[in-house]
Amino acid sequence: MLLKLKKAVKQTKWVSSLKLNKVVQEPDAGSACMVAGWGKTSTNAKIMSDVLMSVNVTVINRTKCNSKDYYNLDPYITKNMICAGSKGKNNADTCQGDSGGPILCKGALVGVTSFGRGCGNKNKPGVYSFLTENHLNWIKKTMKTSETE
């Protein structure tokens, strides 16, 4: 979904926009990316965070993410998805309430938070919708059409 605002957002030290690239390079397995959101900070949390939280996650190979040790093809992680989570001992992940938030790799928006199982579960990492060229074309076309309305 895209939302059209009545006026431009004031850019500040804390508020900025993300540029959309012409083509997004799919992040390689092992890449460090950043996710952010105002969702829960743990599976058992009763309320959402009142501050924007962010954490670095590591991209996981789709084959590994689909393996029996991870999602076991339920659901099947497709080429339109990015699987990313903890590396080592940290519990890096998104959680309930973070859906729709960004995943940034090398400073570029490459997708949005979609789903996961629990929060911080190393064998059930976060899954993100990959911002493919088709998605980018739809966004740009929709934004251009909206400008003429």
Side-chain angles (χ1 to χ4, degrees):
M1 174 188 296
L2 291 176
L3 300 174
K4 182 178 180 181
L5 305 176
K6 288 186 179 184
K7 61 182 183 174
V9 174
K10 183 179 178 184
Q11 304 286 317
T12 70
K13 178 179 171 182
W14 298 278
V15 178
S16 62
S17 60
L18 299 171
K19 301 240 186 274
L20 292 176
N21 292 341
K22 293 191 189 306
V23 177
V24 175
Q25 179 75 30
E26 181 179 352
D28 294 328
S31 298
C33 299
M34 187 196 72
V35 295
W38 282 273
K40 292 183 178 184
T41 55
S42 72
T43 303
N44 299 325
K46 302 288 184 217
I47 59 171
M48 306 294 179
S49 176
D50 60 355
V51 295
L52 179 62
M53 303 293 283
S54 66
V55 69
N56 288 332
V57 292
T58 302
V59 175
I60 299 167
N61 175 291
R62 272 189 207 93
T63 302
K64 184 175 182 178
C65 203
N66 278 314
S67 73
K68 65 180 176 115
D69 292 332
Y70 284 75
Y71 279 102
N72 198 27
L73 303 175
D74 183 27
Y76 176 66
I77 309 304
T78 72
K79 65 180 180 163
N80 292 327
M81 301 174 185
I82 299 168
C83 190
S86 298
K87 180 179 183 180
K89 296 180 180 178
N90 70 345
N91 287 331
D93 199 3
T94 49
C95 202
Q96 285 74 34
D98 290 327
S99 294
I103 179 168
L104 303 158
C105 301
K106 296 181 182 172
L109 178 67
V110 296
V112 295
T113 303
S114 184
F115 68 91
R117 297 239 175 93
C119 308
N121 182 341
K122 291 181 185 176
N123 291 341
K124 298 289 188 266
V127 179
Y128 304 83
S129 295
F130 176 49
L131 193 57
T132 64
E133 185 173 4
N134 287 340
H135 291 121
L136 281 170
N137 290 339
W138 177 83
I139 290 168
K140 290 174 183 178
K141 178 182 173 188
T142 302
M143 288 174 65
K144 188 173 184 178
T145 302
S146 178
E147 287 174 1
T148 62
E149 293 177 352

